[in-house]
Amino acid sequence: MLIIILKIILCSSIFIAVYYLFLEREKMYRFNRFYLLCSLILSYVIPFISITVKLPEHEQKSQILFEETVQQITFAQHEQESFNWVSIVWLVYGAITVFLLIKSILSFRAIKKMQGEKRIYQNHRILVIKENIPPFSFWNTIYLGKTYVKDDGIDTRIFLHEKGHIDQKHSLDLIFLDIFKIFTWFNPVLFFYKKAILTNHEFLADEAVLNNRYNIKEYQNLILKEIIHHQNLPLTHSFNFNNTKKRFIMMTAKKSKFIVLKKAAGITAMIAATALFAERTYAVSPGLTEDTQKANSTEKRNH
């Protein structure tokens, strides 16, 4: 199990490193979203993939002897251990997992318990809250303070930004990531994945606004004004997301000529990690297996 956990951490580390090195600063947000989600899933699947490798005949004996030696050493170590560390490890894992699960449920309930006036605005659900909270979205609802509603309307740029999160189902990504965090909290790379996914969501939502030909400078000023009202509840997308510098850079960035090559680098990293971290099983010729079994039975009779 320890080997599998290490492989998961190494796989996810390589994938997120490739993202930050080659993909993050490119204006291919939908591909980046696909890469982040797929690479995260792959990093947990790859260690369980089994690849059968046929060894040359002269190497098969040494491979079998090595595997038998490892098994004997492992068995001897288990016999020597009087204290059951496995139970302690599972107890700690269970306690932390339950704590994170309860915390996540409470965060979800905190959003759902918010009280306000329910409205339908341009075919989208809006909850207008008495408190002066900045706009944010979760699932299929936009939440915002009553001061953001003027003459029964909402600033179109704010609405388009939050609408972008809802239409593209960004909440699903965060819930999916939260499940990974609850049950595999021991993987520190999940922190970097969450940061990357949130930033990518903001790039996509900003793109939804700017595709409607709004002035970039005016939109940036609107974001800066909202920063002073910062609110960032778990599992939500807040209009004033704090990674402002990267957002502003990407708003004015041009598409690179090397997008195809960088996409290829991401796909290549996935294939290489599969080959490197997949479990290998070695094919052994039947005759050699019979000889090994005879040798083992002879050794047992001698003992």
Side-chain angles (χ1 to χ4, degrees), residues 42-249:
L42 267 178
S43 64
Y44 283 79
V45 172
I46 286 173
F48 295 95
I49 295 175
S50 181
I51 298 175
T52 303
V53 179
K54 185 172 178 59
L55 290 174
E57 289 187 8
H58 67 277
E59 290 184 14
Q60 289 184 6
K61 285 187 178 181
S62 60
Q63 179 65 32
I64 291 171
L65 289 172
F66 173 75
E67 290 178 356
E68 287 180 352
T69 305
V70 171
Q71 289 175 0
Q72 290 172 5
I73 292 171
T74 305
F75 182 73
Q77 285 177 342
H78 283 311
E79 285 185 338
Q80 291 174 4
E81 290 178 357
S82 58
F83 189 77
N84 192 354
W85 287 102
V86 176
S87 298
I88 300 297
V89 170
W90 278 109
L91 186 63
V92 172
Y93 169 80
I96 296 175
T97 301
V98 169
F99 170 76
L100 292 175
L101 180 60
I102 293 171
K103 184 180 177 182
S104 183
I105 292 171
L106 291 175
S107 298
F108 177 78
R109 286 190 62 192
I111 299 168
K112 288 299 181 181
K113 286 177 70 176
M114 285 186 170
Q115 300 294 320
E117 181 187 352
K118 295 179 180 179
R119 298 186 185 185
I120 300 297
Y121 184 81
Q122 296 186 20
N123 298 320
H124 281 74
R125 294 178 61 181
I126 307 289
L127 187 67
V128 181
I129 300 168
K130 292 181 180 179
E131 291 81 7
N132 187 26
I133 65 168
F136 70 89
S137 59
F138 176 73
W139 200 248
N140 61 351
T141 304
I142 298 173
Y143 300 77
L144 74 168
K146 63 180 182 179
T147 56
Y148 288 88
V149 181
K150 296 177 181 178
D151 300 325
D152 290 328
I154 304 169
D155 188 311
T156 309
R157 295 164 297 181
I158 294 176
F159 175 73
L160 287 173
H161 182 95
E162 299 305 332
K163 179 178 178 291
H165 286 308
I166 292 172
D167 291 347
Q168 296 177 51
K169 311 295 183 186
H170 290 168
S171 291
L172 285 176
D173 296 2
L174 296 187
I175 292 170
F176 171 75
L177 189 64
D178 200 55
I179 292 170
F180 268 89
K181 186 185 76 173
I182 290 168
F183 293 100
T184 61
W185 47 263
F186 48 79
N187 185 359
V189 186
L190 288 176
F191 168 80
F192 299 99
Y193 262 97
K194 183 174 183 178
K195 187 176 179 181
I197 287 172
L198 279 170
T199 304
N200 176 255
H201 287 174
E202 295 306 316
F203 291 161
L204 285 163
D206 289 336
E207 184 182 55
V209 177
L210 298 176
N211 282 345
N212 285 271
R213 301 185 181 279
Y214 282 98
N215 182 276
I216 293 177
K217 290 296 182 183
E218 290 179 1
Y219 180 58
Q220 290 175 342
N221 288 333
L222 177 64
I223 293 171
L224 288 172
K225 288 178 183 178
E226 289 300 314
I227 289 176
I228 60 174
H229 304 296
H230 179 71
Q231 167 142 341
N232 190 17
L233 293 172
L235 303 177
T236 68
H237 292 93
S238 177
F239 177 76
N240 56 358
F241 182 71
N242 61 353
N243 205 344
T244 309
K245 185 178 179 181
K246 284 184 179 180
R247 289 173 65 187
F248 285 6
I249 291 171

